[in-house]
Amino acid sequence: MSLGFVYLRYRRKGKSPIEVDMFAKERISFYKLSQATDNYDERNFLGKGSFGFVYKGTLDDGRVVAVKVFDLHSEGALMSFGAECEALRNLHHQNLTKVISSCSNPDFKALVLEFMPNGNLEKWLYAIDSSLDIIKRLDILVDGASALQYLHYEHATPVVHCDLKPSNVLLDEDMVARVSDFGLTKLLAPEESIVYTQTLATLCYLAPAYGKRVLAILVEYGSEGLASTK
């Protein structure tokens, strides 16, 4: 038995780490992702987040995707990948980012997402030549509110995004808004209305003109790390 155990370990050493698809939708290997992004060429670079990088890629069947690669040397990246997988695995709404697949092995973690050709809302809000009129802005507000309504009240487990801001709202080809980046998400147990988090998101984004209640919520979140659907 001992000899057999040593033999099996010796055989496994030469094999590549097992790649896992956390979503069980379709399997896209590390090699296929490298091909799709031209080995993560800078020409396909879309942006950088707190825990990694996003690249544009084209799969074998012609589909254009966004590949979110987690920087495993960054503190909190592994936890962020786990949180995003846990949140997105069971979320289905027209105003949320759609996940096509994932790729996970000990040395590499990535999510394959639907590509949003119109980029993020921040780019549109602050562009000099922005064409967002008041009607389109209201449409985007309704899209975002619909996503939050689903996350907070319509999903079996209430979901607190924890980092909702213009750069995390993506726009598809029809300018429909999709909430993205669930790396700091917290899931509330049935008996919970507040959850504690050690990882704080973008504290300075919330506008200051919403009154004392929002200020109190900011103090709770910023000083104590208490996050809720409020």
Side-chain angles (χ1 to χ4, degrees):
M1 288 177 65
S2 298
L3 287 173
F5 177 73
V6 171
Y7 173 70
L8 286 173
R9 285 197 63 181
Y10 176 78
R11 285 192 61 189
R12 287 173 182 169
K13 278 185 179 179
K15 294 185 178 181
S16 301
I18 295 174
E19 294 171 2
V20 179
D21 178 8
M22 307 293 287
F23 294 89
K25 293 181 179 180
E26 62 177 288
R27 181 77 172 274
I28 302 177
S29 68
F30 172 81
Y31 174 71
K32 290 292 185 183
L33 288 183
S34 296
Q35 276 191 322
T37 57
D38 294 328
N39 201 25
Y40 306 99
D41 191 279
E42 63 180 14
R43 292 173 300 176
N44 290 318
F45 180 73
L46 294 176
K48 181 181 184 300
S50 301
F51 301 108
F53 308 89
V54 182
Y55 295 87
K56 181 179 179 181
T58 305
L59 300 178
D60 289 343
D61 58 10
R63 280 180 297 168
V64 180
V65 296
V67 182
K68 183 176 181 178
V69 181
F70 289 77
D71 178 9
L72 299 184
H73 298 292
S74 173
E75 184 179 357
L78 194 59
M79 186 180 298
S80 176
F81 175 75
E84 197 147 3
C85 287
E86 180 66 23
L88 292 174
R89 185 182 289 119
N90 297 311
L91 295 178
H92 305 284
H93 191 272
Q94 69 266 23
N95 297 119
L96 299 179
T97 305
K98 288 185 173 63
V99 181
I100 295 171
S101 183
S102 66
C103 182
S104 175
N105 65 48
D107 302 315
F108 182 81
K109 309 286 182 190
L111 292 175
V112 184
L113 308 167
E114 186 179 10
F115 178 67
M116 297 286 106
N118 280 311
N120 66 52
L121 179 58
E122 184 175 45
K123 178 189 77 173
W124 287 85
L125 288 177
Y126 300 110
I128 296 174
D129 57 346
S130 176
S131 59
L132 285 183
D133 59 28
I134 187 64
I135 300 300
K136 179 46 64 180
R137 288 169 188 253
L138 285 172
D139 286 341
I140 292 171
L141 281 171
V142 170
D143 290 340
S146 297
L148 289 182
Q149 171 74 16
Y150 170 77
L151 293 174
H152 292 176
Y153 303 112
E154 296 175 8
H155 190 254
T157 302
V159 179
V160 184
H161 186 281
C162 289
D163 198 18
L164 188 63
K165 56 185 178 180
S167 61
N168 286 339
V169 176
L170 305 181
L171 300 166
D172 68 12
E173 64 275 9
D174 299 316
M175 293 295 285
V176 174
R178 311 280 190 90
V179 174
S180 69
D181 198 345
F182 286 77
L184 297 179
T185 294
K186 298 296 178 183
L187 305 179
L188 297 181
E191 68 279 2
E192 291 179 319
S193 61
I194 296 176
V195 65
Y196 175 73
T197 176
Q198 292 182 314
T199 309
L200 299 181
T202 313
L203 290 177
C204 61
Y205 173 66
L206 283 179
Y210 288 106
K212 294 182 180 179
R213 180 55 192 149
V214 167
L215 180 60
I217 292 168
L218 274 174
V219 171
E220 287 176 2
Y221 181 57
S223 64
E224 302 176 19
L226 299 177
S228 72
T229 55
K230 295 178 182 178

